[in-house]
Amino acid sequence: MVSPEPRTGPEFWRDLKPIEKVFRKDAAPEIFLPDTLDDDERYFIPLSETVGSRPLWISLTQNRWADVLMATQAGLVNRHYHPHQVFGYTLSGRWSYLEHDWVATKGTFVYETPGEAHTLVAHESDEPMRVHFNVTGPLIWLDEDGEPEGTFDAYDYLELARDHYEKVGLGAAEVEKLLR
Ligand SMILES: [Fe+2]
């Protein structure tokens, strides 16, 4: 059934009434980050010498996070294995995994099924590589033979983010805002 919505002016929804009961009693507020394409490097936690990660949302209870991964030149996130899923949406630049024959560019979406190991490389490009990732942890770092040599999960990410944000003067509270 089509509801009888008022249609006055181009933004026909202007006269609609917002829902009054927005949040359930125990629900946490949304996270609203108006400008995550800002290149202010202070927001990017170094994950390697060449690649930084700007946290957008961190969930310890789900061991999961969302970020913008950025490299301003050729870059590398060393080989690792994901026991859980990863979603990736490319905002700018060019990147790929050494293990696949595709190259992601602006608008490329990738879903990585649990059980994939890869080595992320940022290609040289006119624009920085920026990818919005939604990761369920942990990452299992792999040695040259593909054997596990360490882990990285939401707890490590949060700790690293806090330390980095303190160091660059943004303050740890900037990261804590992102916890849900
Ligand atoms: Fe990965």
Side-chain angles (χ1 to χ4, degrees), residues 80 82 97 112 118 139:
H80 57 272
H82 288 276
Y97 293 123
E112 294 153 33
H118 52 221
L139 276 69

Side-chain angles (χ1 to χ4, degrees), residues 2-176:
V2 179
S3 60
E5 290 167 354
R7 292 178 181 273
T8 49
E11 288 185 338
F12 62 89
W13 42 266
R14 282 284 171 195
D15 296 331
L16 291 179
K17 203 169 143 247
I19 298 162
E20 280 173 24
K21 289 184 196 165
V22 179
F23 293 107
R24 296 295 299 262
K25 186 162 72 72
D26 300 307
E30 78 278 22
I31 296 171
F32 177 75
L33 305 172
D35 189 8
T36 59
L37 288 178
D38 188 336
D39 286 339
D40 186 340
E41 298 213 5
R42 292 176 307 160
Y43 286 96
F44 291 86
I45 304 153
L47 284 191
S48 69
E49 279 172 28
T50 48
V51 175
S53 164
R54 176 178 174 161
L56 306 178
W57 163 75
I58 303 172
S59 170
L60 294 178
T61 53
Q62 296 181 59
N63 206 330
R64 199 167 168 182
W65 64 93
D67 72 342
V68 175
L69 198 74
M70 181 166 84
T72 52
Q73 54 191 348
L76 171 74
V77 177
N78 224 340
R79 63 184 86 75
H80 57 272
Y81 172 76
H82 288 276
H84 299 292
Q85 69 187 5
V86 176
F87 298 88
Y89 186 80
T90 313
L91 305 168
S92 65
R94 295 165 59 79
W95 68 278
S96 65
Y97 293 123
L98 295 182
E99 294 76 14
H100 294 291
D101 60 6
W102 46 256
V103 176
T105 57
K106 183 178 177 173
T108 300
F109 169 76
V110 181
Y111 172 73
E112 294 153 33
T113 309
E116 172 170 329
H118 52 221
T119 314
L120 186 149
V121 288
H123 296 217
E124 286 209 63
S125 173
D126 296 342
E127 280 192 300
M129 174 202 78
R130 293 192 199 86
V131 190
H132 171 46
F133 276 111
N134 183 318
V135 181
T136 303
L139 276 69
I140 315 283
W141 301 115
L142 303 175
D143 67 16
E144 277 179 27
D145 303 319
E147 294 302 321
E149 62 171 7
T151 61
F152 183 85
D153 69 6
Y155 292 91
D156 298 306
Y157 190 53
L158 176 60
E159 222 174 292
L160 204 62
R162 273 206 196 103
D163 290 351
H164 177 75
Y165 277 31
E166 276 294 316
K167 202 172 90 189
V168 298
L170 291 167
E174 275 298 302
V175 180
E176 272 138 32

